[in-house]
Amino acid sequence: MFTGLNHIPVYFLQPLRLFQTYKRQNLRPDLMAGLTVAIILLPQAIAFTLIAELPPVMGLYAAIVGGIVGALWGSCYQAHTGPANAISLLVLSVLLTIAPAGTPEFILAAGVVAVLVGLFQLVMGLARLGMLVNFVSHSVIVGFTAGAGILIIIKQIRHLLGLEFSSYNIFETFRQILTHLPDIHWPTMILGLSTMGFIVLLKKLAPKWPNILISMVITSIMVFLLGLDQAGVEVIGQLPTGFPPLVKLPLFDLEYLSRLATGVLAIGAIGLVQTTAIVRAIAGQTGQRLDSNQEFVGQGLANIAAGFFSGYPGAASFARSAINLKAGAQTPLSAIFASLFVLLVMLTLAPLAAYLPLTALAGVLTITAFYLIDRTEIIRIWQGARGDAVIMLATLFGTLFLRIEFAILVGILLSFAHYLMRTSLPEVFPVTPDESFIHFVRQQPHQLSCPQLGILKISGDLYFGAVQHVEDAICQHLTDHPEQRFLLLRMHGVNQCDFRGIQMLEAIKKRCRERGGDLFLMRLEKPVLDFMKTNGFYDRLGPDHFLTQDHVIGHLFQKVLDPAICIYECNARVFEECQNLPKQTYLTDGPLQTYMPIPEAVNEISPEELHQKLHNGRLPLVVDVREPREFKQGHIPQSQLIPLPKILANASTLPQNREIVVVCRSGWRSARAMCMLQNKGYRQVRILRGGMLAWEAAGLEEVSNN
């Protein structure tokens, strides 16, 4: 009963594996990388918390606890978990549904959301659903982060200008800014803009220096020396010292939790997608093999711990993870060291934050938010597939003008819808050999096609959602090409097939055989072929109808196709086997039709009925219109050989007052001969239904001249 749960303990033993395999020579690079990340993490944690309008200390707690737990239970060696700018904006949107910003209820809800997000992510990991993030389009992340960047910039304007107002949407924010322009606090604005300018300048002149930390230290010193806090410049205030305290959360109030459910799903999903994107990018450089499910478990436990220890939800950070990698981090211990360094600073230097101005943090956030808008990626998506562009724009504008968590879910749903549309509408198109006759390529509209054999490629799975589209496309091709009795399906692009797919193939097989032809399949993937063998379709279609790439056309050309049509009625040379065939189209007064309709049943005679007539004295004239070599291999007793070209050239030698039965290999040449005879005035003409193939299948006697 519990065998499916055997993998769960493995995920929780990740820290044990980490320390058992740790090498002492990695200690120094991990320490240095941790110190480097801590220098960035300290101001970022405070600044990102400002986006969520939570107390700055909560960001530090989330950075410490989330960073340690995420490192211990994650799978990527260089990823760093903690506060993230876009996630912080999403957290603010969710918390505002519970209480106004800054209230005790608002702050308490942040911890509840963190725990719920962590539980969602943990369950996803333990259930091994890490692959689900692959179905969330990259366009959702690009659109959301761009929208979040714009929103963050707009929301920080009031802190940069020293304005006091509240707003809950982009339109109200702009209105309030215009209304309060006369109330700009000039020292605040100058300090904030100076911080932004110094960050940009320092980034150009000394890109390796911690420009954010240096800028914040300088602005704090200016506030202290000039007494700007007394002149109206708003500051953070002294941070509390001590370890992250444990908090009691209302986790059993179901009505309260239901109000947060939608937002929790959005935060959890975006956090996982963002984290997955980061760790994959890092693994692409390091070559590390990742476990998405282990990463989900690590993110889940990190958020649960952050929620219980006075923090708020976070995720892997683009910037800090990249810095950690560049700084030479070898193992997850670098992230643990970074969190411990931040804790050490909190315990010793927290009082210095009393002079850190909010306008400086707003400047930092404005700069970081600007880089969230990936203009290159936006242009690339816009110039690419229309579906991805629609998803990106819908998520971006939804982030700007709707509740953010709703916009995220809309983007994710659009991603799934786009995926379903693409997989349910696989391409089905005719192919033809290339000039070298080695590969098959898409047939162009101007190219001639074989009048007997249609070759279609199916580029997609035959599951219940796609089967109808595939069947419609194949049937449309058969309708457009009624002369093609035989159909070859190239199926190396089909990786999955269900019972609905088998039913579709059965219907196509029936349609082909009703028009006197057959269905053939080639290059099937092993799982698909095994499934067809299991459900009996392999035997019902016939093992000889499953072909490989090598000599497939040669096999059909020699064993299936009608050579008389190739010689006397087809001017195309589609296949390599056609190149050396004699094309004898001079045997009639006018051009031959490449297709004659199959006669109605009234003009047919069954093999059994013909056999009975031949043995009860009512002898019809049996005219075999095949080639001499075919006739010699086996023919109906008392039949007369008159190859189709001779029939078409001169039919006047046949008696007008006697029933004539025309015979060929499968019935196709017979139909042409019958139509020609009827046009010449012959009224008692019938064809052998199914031709010699049907005669042989019925086990009736035949004469061989070999």
Side-chain angles (χ1 to χ4, degrees):
M1 177 179 178
F2 298 101
T3 55
L5 305 178
N6 293 338
H7 65 280
I8 291 180
V10 176
Y11 293 127
F12 290 102
L13 295 176
Q14 179 70 1
L16 182 61
R17 292 192 293 272
L18 172 63
F19 289 110
Q20 284 179 339
T21 59
Y22 192 79
K23 299 177 181 179
R24 182 172 296 181
Q25 61 265 30
N26 291 332
L27 182 60
R28 187 177 184 279
D30 284 344
L31 273 170
M32 297 306 297
L35 179 59
T36 304
V37 172
I39 293 172
I40 304 300
L41 175 60
L42 184 62
Q44 272 196 354
I46 297 174
F48 292 164
T49 312
L50 184 64
I51 298 175
E53 299 189 20
L54 291 166
V57 71
M58 293 187 70
L60 294 174
Y61 291 154
I64 295 169
V65 177
I68 292 174
V69 176
L72 288 175
W73 276 276
S75 68
C76 181
Y77 294 162
Q78 289 80 20
H80 190 279
T81 301
N85 43 16
I87 298 294
S88 297
L89 184 64
L90 187 51
V91 169
L92 171 64
S93 176
V94 174
L95 297 182
L96 288 175
T97 64
I98 295 296
T103 61
E105 294 81 7
F106 182 88
I107 296 172
L108 186 67
V112 176
V113 169
V115 173
L116 294 180
V117 167
L119 288 173
F120 166 71
Q121 294 174 333
L122 179 62
V123 170
M124 290 280 287
L126 295 179
R128 294 190 285 195
L129 297 176
M131 52 82 183
L132 288 181
V133 298
N134 298 329
F135 294 94
V136 179
S137 171
H138 175 61
S139 302
V140 173
I141 301 301
V142 173
F144 169 63
T145 53
I150 295 171
L151 276 184
I152 291 170
I153 292 172
I154 293 172
K155 286 178 174 291
Q156 297 311 310
I157 291 177
R158 68 185 183 96
H159 294 297
L160 278 171
L161 303 181
L163 302 177
E164 292 292 337
F165 61 82
S166 298
S167 65
Y168 299 102
N169 60 64
I170 191 171
F171 299 111
E172 178 65 16
T173 300
F174 277 120
R175 190 187 70 81
Q176 291 281 16
I177 291 172
L178 294 175
T179 302
H180 290 81
L181 277 179
D183 302 327
I184 291 177
H185 189 258
W186 292 99
T188 297
M189 185 184 75
I190 293 171
L191 194 61
L193 295 179
S194 299
T195 302
M196 293 174 60
F198 189 74
I199 290 174
V200 174
L201 182 63
L202 201 59
K203 188 172 184 178
K204 289 185 177 180
L205 298 179
K208 293 185 178 181
W209 290 15
N211 49 61
I212 295 177
L213 182 63
I214 294 173
S215 301
M216 294 175 68
V217 169
I218 291 175
T219 53
S220 299
I221 292 174
M222 290 176 63
V223 170
F224 173 73
L225 294 178
L226 301 177
L228 295 179
D229 56 327
Q230 305 299 321
V233 175
E234 192 174 355
V235 295
I236 288 180
Q238 183 171 335
L239 296 174
T241 58
F243 292 92
L246 191 64
V247 62
K248 185 178 180 181
L249 302 173
L251 295 175
F252 299 100
D253 186 340
L254 298 183
E255 190 277 332
Y256 178 78
L257 299 182
S258 65
R259 294 164 61 189
L260 297 170
T262 303
V264 164
L265 292 177
I267 296 172
I270 288 297
L272 291 179
V273 173
Q274 176 175 310
T275 299
T276 302
I278 292 169
V279 299
R280 284 180 178 174
I282 293 174
Q285 299 183 50
T286 63
Q288 180 192 353
R289 294 191 63 185
L290 298 175
D291 184 344
S292 296
N293 298 313
Q294 183 69 62
E295 199 64 51
F296 281 24
V297 170
Q299 291 296 307
L301 292 176
N303 280 314
I304 292 172
F308 279 118
F309 285 93
S310 305
Y312 77 103
S317 163
F318 286 103
R320 295 194 302 272
S321 299
I323 291 171
N324 197 31
L325 175 63
K326 291 180 181 179
Q330 300 296 311
T331 73
L333 255 66
S334 62
I336 297 175
F337 289 142
S339 296
L340 293 178
F341 284 134
V342 171
L343 176 61
L344 180 63
V345 171
M346 278 193 64
L347 295 176
T348 57
L349 304 177
L352 297 181
Y355 296 100
L356 180 60
L358 288 179
T359 185
L361 289 173
V364 170
L365 290 174
T366 301
I367 294 293
T368 57
F370 177 77
Y371 289 109
L372 277 178
I373 307 171
D374 192 338
R375 295 171 297 282
T376 303
E377 197 69 5
I378 290 173
I379 293 173
R380 189 179 70 86
I381 293 174
W382 177 256
Q383 294 176 342
R386 292 294 90 185
D388 291 330
V390 169
I391 293 172
M392 177 187 69
L393 291 178
T395 309
L396 191 155
F397 287 113
T399 302
L400 291 177
F401 302 114
L402 303 176
R403 282 180 53 185
I404 299 178
E405 64 272 24
F406 180 72
I408 296 299
L409 293 179
V410 167
I412 292 175
L413 290 176
L414 284 176
S415 294
F416 276 97
H418 183 49
Y419 167 77
L420 290 175
M421 286 184 62
R422 286 192 298 181
T423 58
S424 62
L425 299 174
E427 278 196 290
V428 181
F429 53 89
V431 295
T432 189
D434 60 10
E435 294 180 356
S436 65
F437 301 105
I438 297 177
H439 304 289
F440 285 92
V441 296
R442 185 188 291 263
Q443 182 175 333
Q444 300 303 315
H446 66 274
Q447 288 182 289
L448 295 176
S449 58
C450 175
Q452 297 190 75
L453 176 66
I455 308 177
L456 298 180
K457 180 179 179 180
I458 302 175
S459 296
D461 294 339
L462 292 180
Y463 76 103
F464 60 91
V467 165
Q468 188 62 53
H469 170 75
V470 174
E471 184 173 8
D472 290 345
I474 295 175
C475 290
Q476 185 61 50
H477 177 86
L478 293 176
T479 301
D480 294 341
H481 300 82
E483 74 281 4
Q484 292 181 345
R485 295 177 295 151
F486 300 99
L487 185 63
L488 173 64
L489 298 181
R490 288 174 56 83
M491 299 183 63
H492 57 279
V494 180
N495 296 312
Q496 298 289 335
C497 181
D498 61 11
F499 282 104
R500 182 68 184 88
I502 296 298
Q503 290 176 338
M504 183 272 290
L505 292 174
E506 291 274 15
I508 297 299
K509 177 196 73 173
K510 180 180 179 182
R511 180 165 178 171
C512 288
R513 290 181 176 176
E514 284 177 348
R515 59 198 283 171
D518 214 336
L519 174 67
F520 297 88
L521 309 179
M522 67 173 291
R523 291 194 63 186
L524 279 79
E525 298 294 336
K526 188 177 185 303
V528 176
L529 183 60
D530 290 344
F531 179 69
M532 290 181 175
K533 290 180 178 179
T534 301
N535 59 57
F537 178 73
Y538 181 84
D539 294 323
R540 291 193 297 273
L541 182 61
D544 59 335
H545 287 58
F546 291 82
L547 309 175
T548 60
Q549 175 73 30
D550 297 334
H551 311 301
V552 58
I553 299 300
H555 170 78
L556 295 176
F557 201 83
Q558 297 294 331
K559 304 292 185 181
V560 176
L561 302 184
D562 192 331
I565 296 177
C566 299
I567 296 172
Y568 301 114
E569 300 189 33
C570 176
N571 292 320
R573 296 182 184 272
V574 179
F575 308 116
E576 184 177 15
E577 289 76 6
C578 303
Q579 305 310 303
N580 297 322
L581 280 178
K583 298 291 185 178
Q584 301 181 21
T585 57
Y586 58 86
L587 295 173
T588 62
D589 297 332
L592 284 173
Q593 293 178 270
T594 57
Y595 168 66
M596 290 292 225
I598 295 178
E600 298 179 1
V602 69
N603 292 325
E604 293 181 325
I605 184 172
S606 69
E608 292 78 10
E609 184 181 355
L610 176 60
H611 181 267
Q612 185 177 3
K613 281 191 172 189
L614 292 175
H615 287 78
N616 63 10
R618 296 180 297 164
L619 298 178
L621 176 60
V622 180
V623 177
D624 196 319
V625 298
R626 295 179 296 164
E627 294 299 302
R629 61 180 177 81
E630 297 176 275
F631 185 81
K632 291 179 180 180
Q633 292 175 355
H635 57 269
I636 297 173
Q638 306 177 48
S639 61
Q640 180 179 347
L641 173 65
I642 308 178
L644 179 63
K646 292 184 178 181
I647 291 283
L648 299 176
N650 184 12
S652 59
T653 59
L654 297 176
Q656 289 274 359
N657 58 354
R658 185 177 178 186
E659 180 184 9
I660 299 174
V661 177
V662 186
V663 178
C664 70
R665 182 173 180 272
S666 62
W668 211 247
R669 280 174 280 181
S670 301
R672 286 157 172 74
M674 186 193 72
C675 289
M676 180 63 69
L677 291 172
Q678 288 177 341
N679 291 336
K680 295 288 187 179
Y682 290 83
R683 293 292 174 260
Q684 301 183 63
V685 183
R686 302 169 77 182
I687 69 170
L688 177 63
R689 183 191 306 149
M692 286 301 298
L693 293 178
W695 182 274
E696 294 169 357
L700 302 176
E701 71 269 19
E702 57 182 301
V703 178
S704 173
N705 295 335
N706 290 333

